[in-house]
């Protein structure tokens, strides 16, 4: 009896081996394996990113004694002050009106000749262009590895001490000086900023900052927080509001916001949360819980105060008080006694945090301010001509530790 051959098995059919269902299953397995691999890679990146040092990267060490302070001037079309310092210990960078040149016809100090940025932009007060100008200054100054401190200065600032004292004060501290405090009742924060900027990370402070090199790089390299500010933090002018009381609700809805009073403070407060945002932009995986479990803000690396004194709300002009503008010091306000009073300030009280900040530098109690603003040209010249910033025993200005 002849045996009939068995019908071919469906498993041995070439068509069955490459059936659409099995091909689709294989592709799904491959996809999820790739997602898993990406997740592992991102978690490892997040682990390295949990340290700010890993984010900004390492640089060749600078020779001891060659470290410089980069003075970053935000100017319009004039600089009222001369500049007298040890040339090997400082650098100057100026952001001015596009096309404005600093030379013998526009400034009395040769230190400013040709120090203006070639790529300056038109800056409008209260808008994100102010911070863009700051970032341009920082980016330019970071090109020189000997620049280890970065002090943002306005064109109406005056120094309160001689350069040697300022240099020793700033360089002796391993921390950045960033005025930063909580804002509980203000309406500048927009919910549209969430989740890039959580409400509890919103901060306010003076724009006049002094940064260590690592923090300067964080500001320049930021690609997450600043775009959110540029999109949602808008200063509303009287024209935009129509100048009418009936538009008060519209103003609150739009969240009248001043970028330069919030950006750096909020960036440093939410720095490691931005790492999570960057990771999620590259893949649909969440490393949020991993990053948050390693969360440490940069607050511990900051002296939460500014080095620039500003007098607010002391003008007799009611309009100045209402618009919260700083006082302008005129010739009569720049007497030796006026300067001594500013230099004697040794603490700052922050009402929203019920916090008294006793000014310290490298764990030493010190005067709070190295600079003051806003000084008219005549007032600034009086300080220089009267030698109010001249030679001084730096050690005598440090308060006792207790």
């Amino acid at each position: 009896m002849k045996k009939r051959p068995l019908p071919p098995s469906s498993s041995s059919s070439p068509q069955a081996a490459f059936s659409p269902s099995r091909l689709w299953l294989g592709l799904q397995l491959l996809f999820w394996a790739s997602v898993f691999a990406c997740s592992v890679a991102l978690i490892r990146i997040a682990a390295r990113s949990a340290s700010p040092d890993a984010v900004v990267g390492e640089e060749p060490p600078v020779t001891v004694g060659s470290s410089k302070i980069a003075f970053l001037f935000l100017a319009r079309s004039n600089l009222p002050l001369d500049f007298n310092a040890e040339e090997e210990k400082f650098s100057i960078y100026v952001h001015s009106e596009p096309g404005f040149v600093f030379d013998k016809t526009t400034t009395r100090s040769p230190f400013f000749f040709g120090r203006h940025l070639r790529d300056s932009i038109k800056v409008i007060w209260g808008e994100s262009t102010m911070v863009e100008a700051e970032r341009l200054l920082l980016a330019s100054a970071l090109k020189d590895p000997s620049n280890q401190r970065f002090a943002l200065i306005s064109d109406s600032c005056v120094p309160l001490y001689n350069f040697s004292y300022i240099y020793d004060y700033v360089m002796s501290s391993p921390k950045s000086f960033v005025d930063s405090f909580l804002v509980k009742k203000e309406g500048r924060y927009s919910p549209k900023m969430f989740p890039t900027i959580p409400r509890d990370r919103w901060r306010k402070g003076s724009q006049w900052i002094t940064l260590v090199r690592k923090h300067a790089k964080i500001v320049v390299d930021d690609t997450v927080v600043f775009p959110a500010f540029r999109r949602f933090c808008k200063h509303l002018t009287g024209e935009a509001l129509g100048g009418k009381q009936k538009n008060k609700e519209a103003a609150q809805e739009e969240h009248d916001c001043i970028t330069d009073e919030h950006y750096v403070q909020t960036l440093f407060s939410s720095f490691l949360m931005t790492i999570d945002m960057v990771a999620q932009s590259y893949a649909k995986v969440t490393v949020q819980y991993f990053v948050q479990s390693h969360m440490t803000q940069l607050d511990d690396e900051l002296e939460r105060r500014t080095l620039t004194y500003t007098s607010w709300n002391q003008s007799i002009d009611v309009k100045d008080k209402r618009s919260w503008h700083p006082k302008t010091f005129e010739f009569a306000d720049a007497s030796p006694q006026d300067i001594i009073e500013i230099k004697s300030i040794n603490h700052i009280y922050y009402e929203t945090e019920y916090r008294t900040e006793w000014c310290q530098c490298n764990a030493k109690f010190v005067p709070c301010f190295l600079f003051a603003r806003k000084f008219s040209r005549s007032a600034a010249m009086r300080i220089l001509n009267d030698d109010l910033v001249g030679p001084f025993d730096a050690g005598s200005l440090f308060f006792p530790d207790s």
Side-chain angles (χ1 to χ4, degrees):
M1 179 185 296
K2 292 183 179 181
K3 293 183 178 180
R4 293 183 178 179
L6 295 173
S9 169
S10 59
S11 62
S12 63
S13 169
Q15 290 82 1
F18 295 98
S19 65
S21 60
R22 293 199 173 195
L23 180 60
W24 175 245
L25 178 61
L27 290 174
Q28 283 187 315
L29 290 174
L30 180 61
F31 170 78
W32 288 112
S34 300
V35 169
F36 177 77
C38 289
S39 301
V40 173
L42 286 170
I43 289 175
R44 289 179 177 175
I45 291 173
R48 292 195 298 270
S49 299
S51 168
D53 292 319
V55 176
V56 299
E58 297 182 358
E59 294 183 334
V62 177
T63 306
V64 177
S66 64
S67 298
K68 296 181 180 179
I69 299 177
F71 291 102
L72 315 177
F73 285 87
L74 275 175
R76 298 175 182 85
S77 58
N78 66 298
L79 288 168
L81 295 180
D82 200 345
F83 201 85
N84 184 19
E86 300 171 54
E87 195 166 358
E88 71 278 3
K89 290 186 176 181
F90 73 91
S91 303
I92 288 180
Y93 303 84
V94 184
H95 184 284
S96 57
E97 293 281 349
F100 188 86
V101 176
F102 283 95
D103 56 23
K104 293 180 180 179
T105 65
T106 54
T107 178
R108 60 180 287 181
S109 176
F111 288 122
F112 292 108
F113 293 174
R115 299 310 302 166
H116 49 277
L117 301 189
R118 308 293 178 178
D119 57 347
S120 64
I121 61 174
K122 179 69 175 178
V123 173
I124 300 175
W125 182 87
E127 296 191 1
S128 61
T129 51
M130 182 74 77
V131 172
E132 289 186 47
E134 295 176 16
R135 283 159 54 99
L136 286 172
L137 283 166
L138 287 168
S140 184
L142 280 168
K143 294 176 182 177
D144 183 350
S146 63
N147 290 330
Q148 294 295 306
R149 300 294 186 274
F150 305 80
L152 189 66
I153 308 290
S154 83
D155 57 5
S156 63
C157 279
V158 297
L160 298 174
Y161 303 99
N162 60 38
F163 177 76
S164 295
Y165 180 79
I166 292 174
Y167 183 87
D168 291 342
Y169 187 120
V170 173
M171 296 302 299
S172 65
S173 175
K175 296 185 177 184
S176 292
F177 295 88
V178 179
D179 188 42
S180 178
F181 53 90
L182 294 169
V183 188
K184 297 180 179 179
K185 297 182 180 180
E186 191 191 73
R188 291 184 177 181
Y189 174 81
S190 171
K192 296 178 181 178
M193 294 179 174
F194 186 85
T196 304
I197 304 172
R199 180 66 179 84
D200 63 343
R201 302 295 175 185
W202 185 251
R203 299 289 186 273
K204 186 180 181 181
S206 169
Q207 77 176 108
W208 309 110
I209 56 178
T210 299
L211 303 181
V212 299
R213 189 172 180 88
K214 180 178 74 173
H215 296 160
K217 290 191 67 179
I218 289 174
V219 174
V220 171
D221 293 342
D222 171 37
T223 59
V224 177
V225 174
F226 183 60
F229 266 86
R230 188 159 47 189
R231 184 177 180 186
F232 299 117
C233 184
K234 304 285 188 180
H235 172 54
L236 302 182
T237 63
E239 181 180 352
L241 296 177
K244 298 179 180 179
Q245 185 66 25
K246 68 179 182 179
N247 286 314
K248 184 177 180 180
E249 294 182 1
Q252 293 175 343
E253 178 68 22
E254 292 297 327
H255 298 277
D256 186 16
C257 184
I258 310 297
T259 302
D260 57 78
E261 294 181 358
H262 296 275
Y263 167 65
V264 172
Q265 293 79 2
T266 300
L267 170 65
F268 288 166
S269 177
S270 58
F271 173 65
L272 287 177
M273 301 195 76
T274 67
I275 297 172
D276 181 36
M277 299 296 174
V278 174
Q280 291 189 52
S281 69
Y282 284 99
K284 295 295 184 179
V285 293
T286 302
V287 294
Q288 181 176 2
Y289 297 109
F290 183 89
V291 174
Q292 288 185 343
S293 67
H294 293 76
M295 184 73 69
T296 55
Q297 274 72 55
L298 295 177
D299 286 348
D300 291 340
E301 300 180 16
L302 306 177
E303 294 285 356
R304 293 173 57 198
R305 60 185 177 88
T306 179
L307 297 178
T308 300
Y309 174 81
T310 304
S311 177
W312 297 90
N313 268 15
Q314 294 185 19
S315 171
I316 60 175
D317 189 335
V318 176
K319 292 182 179 179
D320 283 348
K321 289 186 177 184
R322 186 176 301 167
S323 57
W324 195 250
H325 279 288
K327 169 185 175 180
T328 297
F329 290 85
E330 302 294 347
F331 184 89
D333 304 311
S335 68
Q337 184 59 38
D338 292 319
I339 303 304
I340 289 173
E341 287 180 4
I342 297 174
K343 292 164 74 168
S344 67
I345 299 172
N346 62 359
H347 69 280
I348 305 167
Y349 180 67
Y350 292 90
E351 294 182 0
T352 60
E353 298 179 350
Y354 307 103
R355 170 171 62 95
T356 298
E357 187 77 16
W358 292 93
C359 299
Q360 298 185 60
C361 179
N362 201 22
K364 297 281 187 179
F365 288 98
V366 295
C368 293
F369 302 110
L370 298 180
F371 311 97
R373 65 184 298 268
K374 303 169 57 175
F375 278 71
S376 67
R377 190 178 189 83
S378 62
M381 291 302 106
R382 180 180 183 181
I383 290 176
L384 292 176
N385 293 334
D386 291 352
D387 203 21
L388 299 182
V389 187
F392 202 94
D393 179 13
S396 68
L397 294 173
F398 284 74
F399 294 102
D401 292 344
S402 60

